[in-house]
Amino acid sequence: MASDDSTEKAPKQPRRGRRRMTGTERRAQLLDIGRSLFAARGFEGTSVEEIAAKAGVSKPVVYEHFGGKEGLYAVVVDREMGRLLDMVTSALTAGHPRELLEQAAFALLDYIEQHTDGFHILVRDSPVAQSTGTFASLIGDIATKVEDILGHEFKARGYDPKLAPMYAQALVGMVALTGQWWLNVRKPKKADVAAHLVNLAWHGLSGMEHKPRLVGHRRT
């Protein structure tokens, strides 16, 4: 007797589960989640448990990739430092010193606008990196990029080129601290902030004395 095909069960189709992330993909995911949480809550306010929960993994996975919260934080900071330094370095293309000032100011303001989470992290003092990964070290690294430019201009105009590192720190610090303030208020618009920063810096530099003097009573 022939069997009734209609009563035969169709072969089961294999269930398609979620694709397992590769190690590289998981690491990138944890970095993105860590970056967001560190920006919002700071290092102390963020836990490994929360990072793991957001990623949908267990805590050992976080430890496997970064050795703990400190390791993840250090990598996030290092990435943001590199990103900002690359933006500043690639922006310095002009030949005229005033335009170089404009480009440096815009580079920092662009970073703040486009990578706000990263800047929030950088302006906090890092508990895991005393000499690097802090706002002060960030200013120093950027200033190093521009002190050679200043040194060349100082020499050409009869100023002591040995003072270029100090002036580079002063100029970059002025832009960075103004950028930190602008991060919260977002007024005036970015181009106006850059214009006013360059106005102060450029006209201050153009009116410099070769041998600056103090006008008050204190001399030491």
Side-chain angles (χ1 to χ4, degrees), residues 101-145:
L101 286 173
E102 290 181 10
Q103 291 172 340
F106 265 118
L108 180 58
L109 295 174
D110 284 342
Y111 174 80
I112 293 171
E113 187 174 58
Q114 298 166 18
H115 306 284
T116 303
D117 281 356
F119 192 72
H120 271 302
I121 293 169
L122 291 180
V123 296
R124 292 190 178 101
D125 283 336
S126 167
V128 295
Q130 297 302 316
S131 61
T132 60
T134 65
F135 193 43
S137 67
L138 170 67
I139 299 303
D141 287 344
I142 296 176
T144 299
K145 302 290 183 182

Side-chain angles (χ1 to χ4, degrees), residues 2 16 25 29 45 51 60 68 76 88 109 132 176-177 199 201 216:
R16 291 186 177 180
E25 291 170 336
Q29 180 206 30
I51 295 168
V76 169
V88 171
L109 295 174
T132 60
L177 287 173
N199 181 44

Side-chain angles (χ1 to χ4, degrees), residues 42-56:
F43 177 81
E44 296 297 339
T46 302
S47 67
V48 174
E49 289 84 356
E50 188 173 14
I51 295 168
K54 289 273 188 183

Side-chain angles (χ1 to χ4, degrees), residues 2-219:
S3 61
D4 186 356
D5 291 341
S6 63
T7 62
E8 292 184 3
K9 293 183 179 180
K12 289 185 178 180
Q13 297 295 323
R15 293 178 63 184
R16 291 186 177 180
R18 234 172 12 175
R19 184 179 71 83
R20 186 182 183 88
M21 283 188 179
T22 66
T24 301
E25 291 170 336
R26 180 67 72 192
R27 182 180 175 85
Q29 180 206 30
L30 291 171
L31 282 169
D32 287 341
I33 290 171
R35 180 176 181 269
S36 178
L37 290 174
F38 290 137
R41 303 183 184 182
F43 177 81
E44 296 297 339
T46 302
S47 67
V48 174
E49 289 84 356
E50 188 173 14
I51 295 168
K54 289 273 188 183
V57 298
S58 61
K59 288 198 306 181
V61 174
V62 180
Y63 288 107
E64 177 186 348
H65 282 277
F66 298 100
K69 183 175 71 168
E70 292 82 0
L72 174 58
Y73 185 86
V75 174
V76 169
V77 168
D78 187 64
R79 278 185 17 165
E80 293 305 318
M81 290 275 288
R83 178 180 285 131
L84 177 51
L85 287 171
D86 285 346
M87 288 179 69
V88 171
T89 302
S90 62
L92 299 176
T93 59
H96 193 277
R98 178 163 182 164
E99 193 172 354
L100 284 169
L101 286 173
E102 290 181 10
Q103 291 172 340
F106 265 118
L108 180 58
L109 295 174
D110 284 342
Y111 174 80
I112 293 171
E113 187 174 58
Q114 298 166 18
H115 306 284
T116 303
D117 281 356
F119 192 72
H120 271 302
I121 293 169
L122 291 180
V123 296
R124 292 190 178 101
D125 283 336
S126 167
V128 295
Q130 297 302 316
S131 61
T132 60
T134 65
F135 193 43
S137 67
L138 170 67
I139 299 303
D141 287 344
I142 296 176
T144 299
K145 302 290 183 182
V146 302
E147 69 179 51
D148 286 342
I149 299 170
L150 276 180
H152 176 76
E153 294 298 327
F154 274 27
K155 188 175 182 180
R157 288 164 170 74
Y159 298 100
D160 185 355
K162 293 180 181 178
L163 296 174
M166 181 180 70
Y167 278 91
Q169 292 279 344
L171 288 170
V172 174
M174 178 182 73
V175 176
L177 287 173
T178 304
Q180 190 175 359
W181 164 81
W182 183 72
L183 172 66
N184 297 316
V185 299
R186 296 301 177 102
K187 292 179 182 179
K189 63 184 181 179
K190 181 170 62 177
D192 288 341
V193 174
H196 284 285
L197 282 168
V198 174
N199 181 44
L200 176 60
W202 180 253
H203 289 290
L205 288 170
S206 63
M208 282 200 313
E209 299 172 333
H210 282 80
K211 293 184 178 181
R213 57 190 177 85
L214 299 171
V215 297
H217 296 293
R218 181 167 178 175
R219 292 291 182 269

